[in-house]
């Protein structure tokens, strides 16, 4: 269940959350300008917010990729897949070398 949530649900929800966050900041800036407040240049432009949201999304996706790509421990010597004596395919695996 968690795997489906992380691989299907999260990629669908995060861009929406990022867009809603952008809208919230934009509306805040519009309200401040209507109230006569002078905003600094970086608050008038959407790029800092968009770059920040993009950096957060990239870091989350890289972290999830590293978490989901974990496999069995890679210690020892790798033996590639081969066809066994009875004609069945033996999958690749690691053997301990001691």
């Amino acid at each position: 269940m968690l795997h489906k949530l992380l691989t299907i649900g999260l990629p669908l929800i995060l861009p929406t959350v990022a867009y809603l966050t952008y809208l919230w900041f934009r509306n805040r800036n519009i309200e401040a300008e209507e109230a006569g407040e002078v905003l600094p240049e970086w608050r008038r432009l959407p790029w800092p917010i968009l770059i920040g949201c993009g950096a957060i999304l990239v870091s989350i996706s890289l972290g999830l990729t590293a978490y989901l790509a974990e496999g069995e421990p890679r210690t020892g010597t790798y033996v590639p897949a081969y066809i066994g004596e009875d004609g069945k395919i033996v999958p690749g695996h690691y053997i301990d070398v001691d």
Side-chain angles (χ1 to χ4, degrees), residues 5-93:
L5 178 68
L6 292 177
T7 58
I8 297 171
L10 211 55
L12 291 174
I13 293 172
L14 283 179
T16 304
V17 170
Y19 180 67
L20 292 175
T21 303
Y22 165 72
L23 287 180
W24 180 75
F25 277 111
R26 189 188 68 162
N27 289 338
R28 227 176 80 189
N29 288 347
I30 290 172
E31 290 172 0
E33 286 179 347
E34 287 176 352
E37 188 177 327
V38 177
L39 297 175
E41 184 68 26
W42 67 269
R43 273 191 65 185
R44 283 186 255 154
L45 299 174
W47 297 113
I49 297 166
L50 294 175
I51 290 171
C53 289
I56 290 170
L57 290 176
V58 166
S59 63
I60 289 172
S61 66
L62 288 176
L64 287 176
T65 301
Y67 172 74
L68 294 174
E70 280 184 3
E72 62 184 57
R74 290 171 173 80
T75 57
T77 303
Y78 179 72
V79 178
Y82 61 94
I83 298 176
E85 293 177 10
D86 55 353
K88 293 187 178 180
I89 297 176
V90 178
H93 58 280

